[in-house]
Amino acid sequence: GTLIGLVRNILKAFLLPDFYSSVIQKKITTNNNFSVVENPSISKILAFEDLSRPTNDYSSNPEFFKNFYQDNPFLEGRPHTLAEIQDQRVMSLGHNLHLPFSVFGENRLVNFWGNWRGISGRSKVASSILLGRALKSSDIIASYKPSKYIEPTFQKLGWKRVELKSFELINPKLDHNRFCKGFSTDDNFDHNMNFSVFNDVNEFDVHINLNYPFLNWRIENYLLAKHIYFYLDDYGYEKAFIVAQFSKNVLFILDLKYSSESALVKALQNIFLWTKKKRIPSVQIETSCESLSKLLAKNYEVAKTVRNSCYFHSSDKSINLEDARILITPIASDTLLRP
């Protein structure tokens, strides 16, 4: 059927000369003596993490893994991990990160297929099967910032590319030292929040669905960074809601909701004051929203701009993503603030 054909095309892409050269390991074999396993034991996963990413302490932390993948309230019985096993060892794997989205006005789960990688001796065939299994787990699948070695595969398969722009903003000089009326911060989510007043509901066909179960799991219980919510409610005329994480060096904005550009500018003025009081030197914002990118480039001093990509594919033929307006921010990805 369609899935078999798709896996066949993926495998053909993998077998192109030099396609996989220098991906993680230089030596790659075609060993087909493998099995593909859903949710292998945590000890096997963490042993693989230690081997494939030895410099990342958090990746082999069982508590981090449980919080980030196993405790996902949107898994709904689907596997969080797909792995290639040879001789009782994980040779390659990928993680399913199902997130709640609005897709043309309907509630849908999008699977962000991430950390797709392997070690020397893995099978090329198994790599294609892993992706094929991930495709079966959700009608819509996404790959956030794939490596330059994997990205050509998605392009050849005709997946929709969404351009991301990341801005590192330098804190501007401020002529005020008090927060404006209607601006507040909190560690807790306001359960009375009405998201229908914000821009992305009307401007984008595909965007994350923020709700308390999502924010509680994804942000409030995240182990590697502190979080904060910024609120602006200017007597009902201008509204903004911004989710962020922070360290001593950076405020990392995960998502921005605002009723108008003037509301966003007012919220950012107060956020810059907050970072000044906390002695945090920079603010990072990433988005696929072109109007937001233009606003940031025009109004703020940008220390660095980085372009990346996110790819989408729908196996549901009733969902046409080709011309869809898709909003992606870091909260809708598999990357949050890390040490």
Side-chain angles (χ1 to χ4, degrees):
T2 304
L3 181 60
I4 294 174
L6 180 59
V7 171
R8 186 182 298 116
N9 289 336
I10 296 168
L11 185 55
K12 286 180 181 178
F14 282 179
L15 295 176
L16 290 173
D18 300 323
F19 177 75
Y20 246 137
S21 62
S22 302
V23 183
I24 303 176
Q25 300 287 338
K26 292 182 179 179
K27 180 183 177 183
I28 297 177
T29 72
T30 55
N31 185 357
N32 291 329
N33 185 25
F34 65 86
S35 59
V36 172
V37 176
E38 296 181 353
N39 296 345
S41 69
I42 299 302
S43 60
K44 282 186 170 62
I45 294 174
L46 299 184
F48 174 84
E49 294 288 353
D50 274 334
L51 185 61
S52 63
R53 297 195 292 185
T55 60
N56 290 346
D57 293 337
Y58 63 83
S59 63
S60 59
N61 180 332
E63 191 176 359
F64 171 80
F65 185 86
K66 181 177 184 298
N67 166 256
F68 205 85
Y69 293 110
Q70 290 180 297
D71 290 347
N72 182 351
F74 304 98
L75 271 178
E76 299 177 354
R78 301 175 182 87
H80 54 74
T81 303
L82 298 167
E84 170 201 353
I85 304 292
Q86 293 183 29
D87 297 325
Q88 302 301 311
R89 290 195 307 151
V90 173
M91 301 300 290
S92 63
L93 59 66
H95 297 308
N96 293 315
L97 190 68
H98 294 275
L99 302 180
F101 268 69
S102 173
V103 180
F104 296 108
E106 294 185 5
N107 293 330
R108 295 271 188 164
L109 291 177
V110 175
N111 179 20
F112 279 77
W113 171 244
N115 294 327
W116 187 23
R117 64 199 186 283
I119 59 175
S120 178
R122 69 190 181 279
S123 165
K124 298 176 186 178
V125 176
S127 294
S128 65
I129 293 175
L130 291 180
L131 180 57
R133 290 278 189 92
L135 285 163
K136 289 180 66 176
S137 71
S138 180
D139 289 338
I140 303 174
I141 191 169
S143 178
Y144 176 78
K145 295 183 181 179
S147 76
K148 64 180 180 179
Y149 302 105
I150 299 297
E151 192 168 5
T153 298
F154 300 129
Q155 294 170 347
K156 294 177 189 302
L157 293 171
W159 288 27
K160 179 180 175 64
R161 177 181 178 270
V162 178
E163 182 174 81
L164 307 173
K165 290 183 181 178
S166 178
F167 298 88
E168 182 179 339
L169 306 180
I170 299 173
N171 286 355
K173 294 182 179 179
L174 301 173
D175 57 4
H176 61 284
N177 57 12
R178 297 180 63 182
F179 297 118
C180 76
K181 291 182 179 179
F183 178 81
S184 62
T185 65
D186 207 323
D187 295 336
N188 300 309
F189 174 64
D190 180 0
H191 291 258
N192 296 317
M193 178 67 63
N194 176 16
F195 289 108
S196 66
V197 302
F198 296 124
N199 63 319
D200 61 355
V201 174
N202 300 314
E203 291 185 17
F204 293 93
D205 303 311
V206 179
H207 59 84
I208 194 76
N209 263 343
L210 293 188
N211 53 53
Y212 180 68
F214 173 75
L215 291 170
N216 181 58
W217 156 63
R218 196 91 173 97
I219 307 304
E220 297 182 9
N221 290 327
Y222 185 67
L223 300 177
L224 303 182
K226 298 177 181 178
H227 74 277
I228 187 166
Y229 300 120
F230 298 103
Y231 297 93
L232 176 69
D233 188 351
D234 188 5
Y235 305 106
Y237 294 104
E238 300 279 25
K239 289 180 176 290
F241 172 63
I242 296 173
V243 186
Q245 294 173 325
F246 63 96
S247 66
K248 64 180 181 180
N249 296 318
V250 64
L251 177 74
F252 186 42
I253 292 183
L254 301 177
D255 197 59
L256 309 94
K257 307 290 185 190
Y258 44 95
S259 57
S260 66
E261 288 190 353
S262 61
L264 175 61
V265 169
K266 183 178 289 187
L268 287 176
Q269 287 175 340
N270 286 274
I271 287 172
F272 281 124
L273 178 58
W274 183 88
T275 58
K276 179 182 178 181
K277 291 177 180 289
K278 294 287 185 179
R279 296 183 178 179
I280 298 174
S282 70
V283 174
Q284 288 185 5
I285 300 177
E286 181 182 86
T287 184
S288 64
C289 177
E290 185 61 27
S291 62
L292 174 57
S293 295
K294 290 179 179 178
L295 182 148
L296 296 175
K298 178 181 178 181
N299 292 284
Y300 301 99
E301 185 177 355
V302 179
K304 182 169 62 174
T305 303
V306 178
R307 285 177 168 81
N308 277 294
S309 301
C310 185
Y311 287 85
F312 282 78
H313 170 76
S314 173
S315 58
D316 184 339
K317 299 306 180 184
S318 68
I319 303 174
N320 183 6
L321 297 177
E322 184 176 352
D323 298 318
R325 299 166 298 174
I326 300 177
L327 178 63
I328 294 296
T329 56
I331 204 169
S333 74
D334 59 357
T335 302
L336 301 179
L337 186 62
R338 294 173 181 175

